[in-house]
Amino acid sequence: MGTNSNKIFLARIFVIAALGVAAWAMVCKTGVDNTDEAGIVLHLPEQVGVWQGMDLLFCPNRDCGGQYFSAQLEDPTVCPRCGGRLGNMNWAERSMLPADTGMARKFYVRGDGRDPVHATIVLSGDDRSSIHRPQVCMTAAGHEIVSERIIRIPLATREQPLEVMVMDMSRSVTGEDGAPAVNTIYYAYWFVGKNRETASHLVRMAYMAYDRVRFGVSHRWAYIALSGGRDPRNDDHLQMIADFASRLHPALLAPN
Ligand SMILES: [Zn+2]
């Protein structure tokens, strides 16, 4: 595992070039086909290494805001508080994402209670705008990005490591006793398209532009995100993310 900021710089140059090509393509080429092909399955496994997954459910009613673990409920389709129809997107996601956006979500816990992980997969629908640059959403939600780097995670299943963008974030909150406190979390993600994988939003945009121009297709891209708490005094969460992601990755591969 190591960091790599040069790559981000190179990606930017690549993107500037690709966007130039895309602008030309808008003028000269019409008829881009959306395909249903995705690079992964929209399903999170029950178990990832020593972590056990639990389904999270949300009430669509903004005023209710109910959140539940599926296992808590007798009827996991109905909100026990207001009768709303439960789903795996929270209110904000439901209102912001196009209706055909796919989502899988689980909260993973270990027997010893350490390092719980919240995992989501967002799969773009026909309208490809489901996937935004995560940094924009995070800062809008009041998080400050303390650091941002790509880590390279060795995989048992292939030679090339998995690259994951890890953002360390902090957010000012009010503690249980009413005193101001700081919540420190990490947010880690990567993107997967048909035969494509990258941790960089800009590289993803460039791949999309290239696939449109070169092949006249627009694939469904997926966005895989992991989040949880981190100790602000060290980088131990990087190893934890590597342990989790290296076990999750093979379970997400689409059958050929
Ligand atoms: Zn409700």
Side-chain angles (χ1 to χ4, degrees), residues 91-228:
W91 177 84
E93 289 159 349
R94 236 182 245 239
S95 60
M96 281 178 352
L97 297 172
D100 61 349
T101 303
M103 181 178 271
R105 153 178 267 147
K106 275 192 199 301
F107 189 73
Y108 287 93
V109 290
R110 300 170 27 146
D112 61 8
R114 283 174 46 212
D115 302 328
V117 182
H118 178 209
T120 55
I121 303 174
V122 175
L123 182 64
S124 63
D126 265 348
D127 172 351
R128 302 299 195 227
S129 68
S130 308
I131 301 176
H132 298 274
R133 191 165 174 264
Q135 283 79 349
V136 176
C137 304
M138 285 298 151
T139 46
H143 296 283
E144 185 195 340
I145 300 170
V146 180
S147 76
E148 195 180 339
R149 75 288 237 190
I150 290 176
I151 62 171
R152 307 177 82 228
I153 302 171
L155 294 175
T157 43
R158 69 171 196 216
E159 211 166 295
Q160 188 198 357
L162 168 65
E163 296 194 347
V164 175
M165 181 73 84
V166 181
M167 297 193 286
D168 288 356
M169 293 186 299
S170 64
R171 185 187 193 188
S172 299
V173 293
T174 307
E176 276 168 31
D177 55 357
V182 176
N183 189 1
T184 53
I185 63 165
Y186 68 83
Y187 191 84
Y189 64 87
W190 72 97
F191 302 98
V192 181
K194 176 88 179 156
N195 303 321
R196 310 273 195 219
E197 183 188 277
T198 177
S200 160
H201 176 75
L202 292 169
V203 170
R204 182 179 81 88
M205 299 301 281
Y207 275 142
M208 283 182 79
Y210 181 78
D211 284 342
R212 275 167 193 270
V213 174
R214 178 70 181 79
F215 303 109
V217 294
S218 174
H219 296 298
R220 299 184 74 179
W221 276 78
Y223 164 63
I224 295 126
L226 310 175
S227 61

